[in-house]
Amino acid sequence: MSDKAAIKVFIADDHAIVREGLKQILADTRDIVVSGEAENGSDALRLFRKSGCHVVLLDISMPDRSGIEVLKQIKKEKPELAVLMLSMHREDQYAIRSLKAGAAGYLTKQSAPKELVTAIRQVAGGLKYISPALAQELANHVGEDHEAAPHETLSDREYQTLTLIASGLTVGAIAKELSLSVKTVSEYRARLLVKMKLKNSAELTHYAIRNGLID
């Protein structure tokens, strides 16, 4: 198949090893080619426009801005473009947030290469992709009267801050991880404590563990 007819994929991930691994997997397929790559959110937004891609593989944890923020901007500019989110986090932690923000699918980085290729082909064809496990989880909740859990009311950045605090990171370490100021992260922490009606980081951690928000 010629490159012109192939599915063009743009890869946005801050880890060079991950990008190389993804490119190696896709190099073994005849109908998929990599048309560009980026190592942070700002570069992703600047370069995906020039790549002529049909699918964006987007890491949910970018160093300068969250993958969901990048996703929302991409969908604002090109609503028809398929964005497949990649994450180290379990599906039940970020998949629903990603799909609500406009993602065409969600894959963990532990997924088998065959599943990645299948997902790319599926979203390139205009369909959504979710794993069988996530499909079952969604089916289990169909028809239920669902009152939003406290963590479901958080913004994407607040939720990310919650999971990082619960993982044992200090405010300073989180600021470095997210390329934000300590003051900004402290504000996120203060807001999520108010929204969730919790008192401190210990209670946040206990809540996250109890609700399966961290591994």
Side-chain angles (χ1 to χ4, degrees), residues 10-91:
F10 182 88
I11 300 172
D13 193 293
D14 60 318
H15 293 97
I17 292 176
V18 172
R19 294 198 306 274
E20 290 304 314
L22 291 170
K23 286 191 288 186
Q24 183 59 51
I25 292 169
L26 300 181
D28 294 332
T29 64
R30 295 183 57 195
D31 60 332
I32 301 173
V33 297
V34 175
S35 62
E37 61 182 284
E39 64 180 2
N40 57 53
S42 297
D43 283 350
L45 290 173
R46 179 173 57 87
L47 298 173
F48 91 90
R49 305 181 184 99
K50 303 176 183 178
S51 70
C53 62
H54 304 112
V55 176
V56 175
L57 292 182
L58 179 60
D59 184 10
I60 207 164
S61 300
M62 303 290 275
D64 56 340
R65 54 198 305 180
S66 78
I68 292 183
E69 288 177 10
V70 176
L71 164 66
K72 290 177 178 178
Q73 185 60 40
I74 289 175
K75 297 302 289 185
K76 184 177 180 181
E77 294 186 26
K78 297 193 70 173
E80 75 287 354
L81 183 61
V83 181
L84 188 58
M85 304 301 288
L86 295 173
S87 177
M88 292 296 293
H89 303 286
R90 296 195 319 266
E91 290 172 319

Side-chain angles (χ1 to χ4, degrees), residues 137-210:
E137 180 71 17
L138 293 173
N140 289 340
H141 291 86
V142 170
E144 290 184 357
D145 291 329
H146 179 65
E147 182 178 347
H151 66 273
E152 294 176 349
T153 67
L154 302 177
S155 71
D156 296 325
R157 274 301 194 196
E158 289 165 354
Y159 182 79
Q160 192 173 25
T161 301
L162 163 63
T163 59
L164 291 173
I165 289 173
S167 296
L169 272 64
T170 64
V171 168
I174 294 170
K176 185 175 181 180
E177 172 81 12
L178 302 180
S179 298
L180 298 172
S181 69
V182 170
K183 180 181 178 181
T184 298
V185 174
S186 296
E187 289 173 354
Y188 285 140
R189 177 183 177 278
R191 288 210 301 259
L192 68 91
L193 282 171
V194 171
K195 285 184 178 181
M196 298 180 69
K197 298 179 181 179
L198 298 174
K199 297 177 181 178
N200 50 46
S201 295
E203 289 191 359
L204 281 177
T205 301
H206 181 68
Y207 177 94
I209 293 172
R210 187 172 70 249

Side-chain angles (χ1 to χ4, degrees), residues 110-128:
Q110 292 84 5
S111 300
K114 185 177 180 180
E115 186 176 2
L116 172 66
V117 172
T118 297
I120 290 172
R121 289 172 177 156
Q122 194 157 311
V123 301
L127 302 175
K128 299 286 187 182

